[in-house]
Amino acid sequence: MAVSAYILGNGVLTGLAEARTAERVWTEHGIAPELVVANPVPIAFWQRETMWRGEGQRGRRVINLAEGMLPSIFALEVEAPAPIGMDDPRIAVAAERDPDVRAFLFWSRMPFAERQPDGSIMVWDQRFGHDVARGQFSVRIPPDGAVE
């Protein structure tokens, strides 16, 4: 019973964090998010790290659902909207030719792409955007789009 209540409570807090994030993104940037994902942060059950995307933009923040009652243990500077970058035609070509790219794009709920200085494209999943995990959840498309 206690486990069920814990799961239900976390589900409610996550839904609240997603709704507040969507509202703030609309208010602050005039963007209506198409997708918002909220993840619990360690220890601080009243906080959620949220990622959003909409209108070709993406962002991330930490929401304190108990503002004024409990402190923000995990603070994150609110990211300004950044392009999703998935409109480069080389991504679609690589997905057709490379099973790793195709599998990554099938698995990823929130893919985003960034052009690298060497002309290649790195595709990551926004949910795993932390520096620690970022390299583990990515795929590289070479500058010429050829399969590596």
Side-chain angles (χ1 to χ4, degrees), residues 15-147:
L16 182 59
E18 290 172 350
R20 281 193 186 169
T21 296
E23 182 181 301
R24 286 184 181 176
V25 169
W26 174 253
T27 302
E28 294 170 10
H29 306 293
I31 297 171
E34 298 156 7
L35 178 62
V36 178
V37 174
N39 295 325
V41 298
I43 303 166
F45 67 87
W46 60 92
Q47 286 185 247
R48 294 292 184 272
E49 175 189 27
T50 61
M51 287 122 315
W52 62 269
R53 58 195 305 124
E55 300 179 28
Q57 302 290 307
R58 62 185 167 84
R60 187 169 66 122
R61 63 177 59 227
V62 169
I63 296 285
N64 182 348
L65 298 166
E67 270 182 74
M69 294 183 289
L70 295 169
S72 293
I73 294 176
F74 294 91
L76 171 73
E77 187 174 319
V78 175
E79 289 183 353
I84 293 172
M86 293 296 293
D87 53 356
D88 190 306
R90 293 181 292 164
I91 297 171
V93 170
E96 289 177 14
R97 296 182 183 166
D98 186 337
D100 291 336
V101 174
R102 187 170 41 257
F104 183 85
L105 293 175
F106 175 78
W107 166 83
S108 177
R109 284 183 62 203
M110 300 183 83
F112 72 96
E114 292 178 345
R115 178 172 282 187
Q116 303 301 298
D118 67 356
S120 66
I121 300 171
M122 288 299 296
V123 182
W124 289 286
D125 188 293
Q126 189 175 344
R127 298 170 299 157
F128 304 99
H130 297 290
D131 293 338
V132 174
R134 194 174 196 179
Q136 304 301 314
F137 299 96
S138 64
V139 67
R140 181 180 178 273
I141 299 170
D144 61 4
V147 175

